[in-house]
Amino acid sequence: MKAIPARPHVQGCTAAIEVEPTSEQLTDGAGLAPFRAAWDRLGCGAWLDHVLGRRGHYRPSLQVEQWLALLLYGGSSMDHLPLLEKRGVQALFGWEAVVNPTTFGRFLRRTGEHGAGVLDELLLKTVRSRWDAAGRVPRVVMLMFDSTVVQRYGLKQAGAVNGYNPTKKGRPSHHPMLAFLDTGDCLGVRWRPGNANTAAGFEEWVEELVGWLRAQGVQRILVRLDKGFFKVSHIQKLLALEVDFVMKMQESNTLQRYKSPFVRSAEDPRLEVAEGRRWDVRLLSVRQCEVPPEGELDLGHVVLKHHLTVLTNIEGVDPLTAWRMYNQGAQVEHRIEEMGQLGVGRTAVDDIGGNHVLWSLGALAYQMLHLVRTTVLENGREQVKTIRALVIRTPGKLVRHARRLCLKLVDGDPLLRMLAHARDRLHWIRPVPLPVM
């Protein structure tokens, strides 16, 4: 290969660059080492093989591990699986071979809904393991639900039908629902076809998650829902579960008569508040107003924006506090955006159960990343794209010596300190117990 010409006009080294192939094993995914350590420490592979069975040459644990590594590395399609083989990731994880995209597609169809349920159970076990590593179970949590629309362009993705699609109307889509905690943990995903209602399946799922949280020792649960979940039966369900909630109400003219007149807020003069009661819960409204500037006719206040009515069963809370509690739960949108950065939902197959498995795998990949960034990294607030650029894509050299694989990094690289920190912190993570069959 011809060299890149010299640069005599620059200050410093003016030499040309020789480009040659090498037989050394290099990788640009050295930052995946902490994820491998967390996966092995949890014993996820052994748990999956025990539950799903070791069928075929490629075990279920191997296929799941490789897909999670691909999402973390930056791939989003089954056609990207060969990247793991060509860029040193295969040697880093010690795989004998990388699964073929066609074989992985068969695995998705064969595993189906049963496999999705198994992955959802493993996800919750991973959440509990992260809490154990932190040393405590949170006493108070905000449980947030939201849905997202994933549009499709082909005709062979099972469940991709015309439904609610705000960006491209009339385009087939999938419409999954996700659940997160304010701690950043993902509690799962409910895969649904594109024509499903925003809150389809909510009542059964919220009962299941509330029961699981209480079994872990959580003392108070605050459920946050946007106006897509506004339904009387949902209010009654939350009251029956005896959880606190803040739910945005749809501003219909019929429900306005249940509110008291708006009055100026003593805390913020720019805001007006009103209260009411309906369905045995409180209606707390906030709206922002503006006084006309000097020189204009005084025609009263003009409502500009932030007209919001929150339904809640929390007694004693004022409208502004309820408004802030609801807005605090908007972080669920950032968590869904992070799953998009992981490439979740960018590929689909012609099988309903297989698509559900893909979404469950995406939720598990997100939770594994959240476990590592909160347990290993000093600052657990970086988003996926930042972690991928600054940590995962760290270059390294793989050297095999005395039957051991050594990952060599540049002296002084920040990843060296992070790996030493990971070794100490991951020691406190408890392995996932094998089920009694």
Side-chain angles (χ1 to χ4, degrees):
M1 184 179 296
K2 293 184 178 180
I4 299 177
R7 308 178 70 209
H9 61 281
V10 300
Q11 292 177 299
C13 180
T14 63
I17 299 178
E18 298 289 341
V19 182
E20 298 179 354
T22 178
S23 59
E24 294 181 328
Q25 184 68 64
L26 307 176
T27 179
D28 64 344
L32 288 173
F35 297 93
R36 168 188 160 173
W39 180 265
D40 294 341
R41 180 62 185 171
L42 289 172
C44 297
W47 191 87
L48 285 171
D49 288 341
H50 185 77
V51 176
L52 294 177
R54 304 178 180 181
R55 295 175 294 180
H57 179 70
Y58 296 103
R59 298 179 180 179
S61 59
L62 176 67
Q63 305 201 55
V64 170
E65 183 179 348
Q66 291 185 354
W67 185 253
L68 298 188
L70 180 66
L71 294 180
L72 295 171
Y73 180 77
S76 59
S77 170
M78 284 179 275
D79 292 335
H80 298 160
L81 281 168
L83 292 177
L84 303 179
E85 180 181 4
K86 301 298 183 181
R87 300 191 176 182
V89 180
Q90 175 183 348
L92 182 67
F93 279 83
W95 300 321
E96 178 182 348
V98 175
V99 64
N100 184 275
T102 303
T103 304
F104 183 73
R106 294 196 189 102
F107 165 75
L108 295 176
R109 298 176 181 88
R110 183 177 66 248
T111 306
E113 295 292 344
H114 171 66
V118 170
L119 292 169
D120 292 342
E121 184 179 355
L122 179 59
L123 174 67
L124 295 179
K125 292 181 181 296
T126 306
V127 173
R128 179 55 196 260
S129 297
R130 194 189 74 82
W131 292 349
D132 291 340
R136 65 181 180 88
V137 175
R139 296 178 61 254
V140 180
V141 297
M142 175 182 286
L143 176 58
M144 305 169 292
F145 293 86
D146 203 355
S147 61
T148 183
V149 175
V150 183
Q151 58 193 19
R152 300 300 180 194
Y153 295 95
L155 300 176
K156 294 184 179 181
Q157 295 91 350
V161 294
N162 294 338
Y164 172 70
N165 193 337
T167 56
K168 291 191 176 181
K169 297 181 180 180
R171 175 69 62 182
S173 62
H174 291 152
H175 195 191
M177 177 171 56
L178 301 103
F180 290 87
L181 297 178
D182 57 347
T183 58
D185 297 290
C186 178
L187 296 189
V189 59
R190 284 293 180 267
W191 184 88
R192 304 174 304 180
N195 59 354
N197 183 267
T198 300
F202 165 75
E203 294 187 26
E204 299 79 7
W205 198 22
V206 69
E207 182 177 0
E208 176 184 336
L209 293 181
V210 167
W212 182 83
L213 289 171
R214 285 174 172 164
Q216 308 311 307
V218 178
Q219 299 180 10
R220 183 189 175 193
I221 303 173
L222 174 64
V223 180
R224 186 264 189 190
L225 303 169
D226 61 18
K227 63 180 180 181
F229 294 83
F230 173 64
K231 196 175 182 180
V232 178
S233 62
H234 294 169
I235 298 175
Q236 296 172 347
K237 185 66 176 182
L238 294 173
L239 292 174
L241 292 174
E242 298 180 350
V243 297
D244 297 334
F245 64 89
V246 284
M247 177 191 300
K248 187 177 181 180
M249 186 185 77
Q250 296 178 359
E251 297 292 344
S252 64
N253 294 331
T254 306
L255 298 175
Q256 302 305 315
R257 59 190 179 93
Y258 294 98
K259 302 178 186 177
S260 63
F262 280 89
V263 296
R264 184 77 62 84
S265 172
E267 182 178 345
D268 190 341
R270 299 172 301 172
L271 302 177
E272 292 184 349
V273 297
E275 299 187 29
R277 184 170 289 272
R278 178 66 167 149
W279 306 297
D280 200 26
V281 297
R282 303 177 65 199
L283 281 69
L284 306 178
S285 294
V286 178
R287 67 182 185 184
Q288 182 175 344
C289 302
E290 183 180 75
V291 179
E294 295 184 6
E296 293 189 8
L297 294 177
D298 187 6
L299 300 178
H301 294 70
V302 180
V303 178
L304 294 180
K305 53 183 178 180
H306 298 315
H307 190 180
L308 173 72
T309 300
V310 175
L311 298 175
T312 181
N313 61 337
I314 306 176
E315 300 294 340
V317 64
D318 60 274
L320 285 185
T321 303
W323 182 44
R324 296 189 184 102
M325 292 169 62
Y326 174 81
N327 290 335
Q328 180 184 356
Q331 61 176 290
V332 64
E333 299 176 3
H334 299 290
R335 302 301 180 185
I336 294 178
E337 180 185 353
E338 282 192 303
M339 295 191 69
Q341 294 173 14
L342 276 173
V344 179
R346 293 186 185 177
T347 187
V349 294
D350 56 349
D351 182 78
I352 293 180
N355 286 325
H356 193 173
V357 172
L358 280 172
W359 273 95
S360 298
L361 287 171
L364 182 58
Y366 167 87
Q367 186 58 32
M368 288 297 300
L369 181 136
H370 187 59
L371 184 150
V372 170
R373 71 178 169 187
T374 55
T375 305
V376 177
L377 301 181
E378 296 179 357
N379 187 353
R381 295 191 295 270
E382 292 89 349
Q383 288 197 347
V384 174
K385 57 184 179 182
T386 303
I387 297 176
R388 182 178 290 147
L390 302 183
V391 178
I392 294 179
R393 289 297 186 90
T394 302
K397 182 178 180 181
L398 296 170
V399 178
R400 189 172 297 277
H401 176 68
R403 297 184 180 181
R404 298 183 64 182
L405 187 65
C406 179
L407 176 61
K408 292 190 175 184
L409 304 173
V410 177
D411 190 17
D413 194 303
L415 185 60
L416 284 171
R417 183 181 59 183
M418 191 195 76
L419 289 176
H421 184 58
R423 183 179 61 250
D424 298 334
R425 294 292 301 273
L426 293 176
H427 177 72
W428 299 102
I429 294 182
R430 299 178 183 178
V432 174
L434 295 176
V436 179
M437 302 300 289

